[in-house]
Amino acid sequence: MENAKMFCFQCQEALNCVGCTKAGVCGKKPEVSNMQDLLIYVTKGLSYVATALRKEGKEVSKEVGRFVSTNLFVTITNANFDEEAIIDRIYKTLDLKKNLLGQLKDLSKLPEAALWDKRNVEDMEKKARVVGILSIENEDIRSLKELITYGLKGLAAYNKHANVLGYSNEEIDAFAQETLAKLLDPAIGVEELVALALETGKYGVSTMALLNDANTSTYGKPEMTKVNIGTRNNPAILVSGHDLRDLEMLLEQTEGTGVDVYTHSEMLPAHYYPKLKKFKHLAGNYGSAWWKQKEEFESFNGPILMTTNCLVPPKESYKDRVYTTGATGFPGCTHIEPDENGHKDFSAIIEHAKRLSAPTQIEQGEIIGGFAYDQVMALADKVVEAVKSGAIKKFIVMAGCDGRQKSRSYYTEFAQALPKDTVILTAGCAKYRYNKLDLGDIGGIPRVLDAGQCNDSYSLALIALKLKEVFELEDVNQLPIVYNIAWYEQKAVIVLLALLYLGVKNIHLGPTLPAFLSPNVAKVLVENFGISGIGTVEEDIENLVKAG
Ligand code: FSO
Ligand code: SF4
């Protein structure tokens, strides 16, 4: 790695399952990757100072929590490719830290990250080269510190979505900052880090619960909904990412303008919420998972609003139609900032849509979803009866992410090969591998139950805990539920840590195990939690589904 221009191994597509060293497989350039490393470093410094202030009994404002969350979110895979935007966040972080340092009584024993403050790009580049992932020599410590950092990135993303809806939790913010501060400690050991990883999972559960609360209180409880996947004849805007508040503001501003709005990828579950689906011009869902966007954004014809990841570097042919907001960014694409009240003005994108043609239809029909906790509980009698009668023999949790690697066809083949007395519980963009297959239903219960976005994996965990109660079992692992989870980026890491914290064992994780797991750390996960990779479809159907 001596001559590497960058090093990143945070996602499932890390080059050769080792790490990206020249440019990211995702399209992230070395300068961006390095500045993201520096942003994480200064965010740890800021978190250290905030934690020290709390220890002195002083109050740390909510703003610090929001700031830390946004910084972490900006560095998530496929969120922000704009070096200038990242440098700007570094400056702002240094300003905020300076301000907090001024309130701190005891300035002795502060780590370098808490004091470092250089604002010229040359110094920043130099520093960025020495604070990256490989600056930690011991591979097990590095592995655990990165596992926790990635978990915190996922947690931050969910926290941010809750924050924009007016929901926050001081304990979650304080935990994230305290943990980031601990990661600066060169003496922290393996045992402490393993415990911290699990604690991160615990806070992952709280954050997903907070977001669930924010979403359902604001938009109502998701309900069974059929979503149109064809198109209408009006000009339209495509909304991708996960931020429901952005979608809501856009729906309000497009109402009565003659411009339709379509969801894309992880925005699909917006249709399941009563207060969002009531908008008549929310016309349907266009396309599939994030990685197909190069073709789908082309044929959509209208402007696209990226509210969060996953953004793929846009082709020149449609780049002028891509708008970013929130944590996302791409050089040359228009970025929409909120005003001081969080309101975003989407008039430019709406006017842009009016000048363009309606989307080209690429498919027709409907998909069904909205099976989050409350909807499944409304069907509980049916579900319990089907399990008792043997009509449903097993539930397979196939939540997580989709990705571009060919090996992911495993998930489509696995879904197709499942016996007809099984039901898939899904959430996240992983669903696109099988949500358009005609897998039928069991006594009116669809064989693919989509709970929603990746964070709605929380709902799947709640369903499992409820079934444990109904069937009077002692352990959630005694249920006829198996876990075959596909991961891609860091939100899947917090979902995984959350499931481990909830006591779920024997999770199969694919299509490959994370590059950031050292052999020893992988061993800990195998021995303590029974985590394993995937095999062939035939082997896995035999071992996971038919056995036991
Ligand atoms: Fe997918 Fe991307 Fe939702 Fe991720 S669109 S891959 S885990 O951002 O967050 O499921
Ligand atoms: Fe490579 Fe993934 Fe990092 Fe992008 S996010 S540089 S693909 S490891």
Side-chain angles (χ1 to χ4, degrees):
M1 306 288 172
E2 278 288 279
N3 297 315
K5 291 196 168 128
M6 59 179 272
F7 186 78
C8 179
F9 63 177
Q10 66 176 354
C11 84
Q12 187 272 326
E13 293 185 1
L15 188 67
N16 298 328
C17 267
V18 177
C20 297
T21 52
K22 288 191 191 120
V25 172
C26 59
K28 184 163 78 170
K29 298 209 165 106
E31 3 358 323
V32 175
S33 183
N34 295 336
M35 278 303 162
Q36 288 186 351
D37 288 346
L38 186 62
L39 180 58
I40 292 292
Y41 177 73
V42 296
T43 305
K44 285 177 182 164
L46 168 68
S47 299
Y48 193 99
V49 180
T51 305
L53 271 177
R54 281 197 188 85
K55 284 187 188 149
E56 286 184 0
K58 302 205 176 81
E59 211 174 290
V60 175
S61 80
K62 267 189 192 172
E63 276 333 291
V64 176
R66 290 182 186 205
F67 206 84
V68 168
S69 289
T70 305
N71 282 3
L72 293 173
F73 201 172
V74 159
T75 69
I76 275 189
T77 300
N78 291 341
N80 204 312
F81 299 82
D82 187 350
E83 189 187 1
E84 263 178 47
I86 293 158
I87 291 179
D88 187 55
R89 287 218 63 91
I90 295 173
Y91 291 152
K92 289 190 175 129
T93 308
L94 293 175
D95 285 344
L96 184 56
K97 190 183 70 182
K98 202 170 174 187
N99 181 307
L100 296 189
L101 274 172
Q103 300 170 40
L104 199 61
K105 243 200 241 148
D106 184 3
L107 294 173
S108 64
K109 293 192 215 138
L110 289 176
E112 199 210 354
L115 297 166
W116 189 86
D117 192 338
K118 295 217 166 114
R119 317 264 176 140
N120 77 69
V121 174
E122 210 179 302
D123 283 331
M124 291 166 79
E125 276 169 359
K126 252 197 221 154
K127 191 69 183 168
R129 303 272 299 157
V130 294
V131 295
I133 296 161
L134 298 177
S135 60
I136 306 166
E137 272 174 31
N138 179 306
E139 68 166 355
D140 298 328
I141 300 287
R142 183 197 306 150
S143 174
L144 285 163
K145 284 190 172 179
E146 292 306 311
L147 170 67
I148 294 166
T149 306
Y150 304 153
L152 288 176
K153 288 187 184 193
L155 179 149
Y158 297 151
N159 201 14
K160 180 95 184 16
H161 290 308
N163 293 167
V164 293
L165 294 175
Y167 287 70
S168 59
N169 176 325
E170 160 63 21
E171 253 185 65
I172 294 174
D173 291 348
F175 170 78
Q177 290 157 37
E178 198 185 328
T179 305
L180 286 167
K182 282 183 187 165
L183 295 179
L184 286 171
D185 181 357
I188 195 164
V190 165
E191 244 169 70
E192 209 178 325
L193 286 169
V194 170
L196 201 51
L198 268 194
E199 214 189 340
T200 305
K202 173 179 161 189
Y203 280 92
V205 175
S206 322
T207 312
M208 283 189 262
L210 181 74
L211 178 54
N212 186 55
D213 207 18
N215 284 341
T216 53
S217 313
T218 313
Y219 302 118
K221 291 175 177 163
E223 53 194 31
M224 183 163 55
T225 306
K226 284 185 178 156
V227 181
N228 172 36
I229 56 172
T231 53
R232 298 178 188 169
N233 282 327
N234 305 317
I237 299 168
L238 187 61
V239 188
S240 195
H242 305 69
D243 198 301
L244 298 179
R245 176 74 187 119
D246 285 338
L247 175 68
E248 182 191 18
M249 285 189 273
L250 184 70
L251 285 167
E252 283 164 355
Q253 292 174 40
T254 39
E255 199 159 31
T257 62
V259 173
D260 285 336
V261 174
Y262 291 79
T263 55
H264 175 259
S265 190
E266 272 284 72
M267 239 347 142
L268 160 67
H271 294 269
Y272 311 155
Y273 289 91
K275 288 202 180 134
L276 293 173
K277 73 182 198 182
K278 68 166 198 216
F279 288 95
K280 300 258 177 315
H281 62 299
L282 179 60
N285 187 70
Y286 191 83
S288 300
W290 64 272
W291 61 277
K292 285 194 167 168
Q293 65 188 250
K294 280 195 172 160
E295 295 83 58
E296 292 166 356
F297 287 4
E298 192 83 73
S299 62
F300 185 74
N301 303 329
I304 299 116
L305 176 64
M306 289 301 310
T307 66
T308 70
N309 58 333
C310 282
L311 171 66
V312 173
K315 283 163 69 176
E316 285 305 322
S317 53
Y318 63 79
K319 188 174 167 187
D320 69 312
R321 291 194 270 121
V322 175
Y323 291 73
T324 60
T325 190
T328 55
F330 196 89
C333 293
T334 308
H335 186 79
I336 299 171
E337 282 289 341
D339 66 15
E340 62 283 4
N341 302 315
H343 182 267
K344 293 181 184 175
D345 177 359
F346 292 124
S347 50
I349 186 166
I350 297 169
E351 288 313 309
H352 195 167
K354 287 181 184 165
R355 299 193 296 272
L356 299 169
S357 20
T360 305
Q361 181 152 290
I362 50 174
E363 57 192 340
Q364 270 181 307
E366 283 177 334
I367 39 183
I368 189 167
F371 298 95
Y373 179 75
D374 292 284
Q375 178 64 79
V376 174
M377 284 309 112
L379 297 171
D381 290 348
K382 251 187 177 179
V383 174
V384 170
E385 195 36 53
V387 175
K388 283 190 177 153
S389 72
I392 296 179
K393 290 241 166 48
K394 237 167 212 170
F395 295 95
I396 329 287
V397 174
M398 292 178 76
C401 329
D402 198 4
R404 59 197 129 199
Q405 287 180 344
K406 285 216 168 63
S407 56
R408 288 192 186 249
S409 58
Y410 161 93
Y411 293 102
T412 309
E413 288 157 23
F414 183 86
Q416 279 167 322
L418 281 169
K420 300 261 174 288
D421 53 9
T422 56
V423 169
I424 295 174
L425 301 175
T426 191
C429 61
K431 64 168 84 56
Y432 285 99
R433 288 282 167 180
Y434 35 81
N435 69 343
K436 293 172 189 170
L437 302 175
D438 187 11
L439 296 180
D441 65 80
I442 298 175
I445 303 165
R447 285 195 53 229
V448 178
L449 295 179
D450 175 22
Q453 297 181 332
C454 41
N455 47 288
D456 295 308
S457 302
Y458 168 74
S459 229
L460 300 181
L462 283 192
I463 293 168
L465 293 172
K466 187 71 195 174
L467 289 177
K468 177 190 116 178
E469 201 184 299
V470 172
F471 290 109
E472 295 174 357
L473 300 171
E474 270 169 24
D475 184 342
V476 78
N477 296 297
Q478 293 168 326
L479 283 165
I481 303 182
V482 290
Y483 294 79
N484 194 2
I485 288 181
W487 83 285
Y488 171 58
E489 48 89 357
Q490 300 80 54
K491 286 180 234 171
V493 176
I494 194 61
V495 170
L496 177 72
L497 292 176
L499 290 175
L500 296 185
Y501 168 74
L502 289 172
V504 174
K505 295 230 162 37
N506 305 322
I507 295 173
H508 292 254
L509 190 64
T512 53
L513 289 180
F516 56 81
L517 292 183
S518 68
N520 285 332
V521 172
K523 207 165 143 221
V524 169
L525 293 179
V526 172
E527 283 171 4
N528 295 321
F529 303 101
I531 286 200
S532 61
I534 55 170
T536 64
V537 170
E538 296 72 31
E539 282 162 10
D540 291 351
I541 291 280
E542 204 52 51
N543 299 335
L544 265 89
V545 187
K546 295 197 176 150

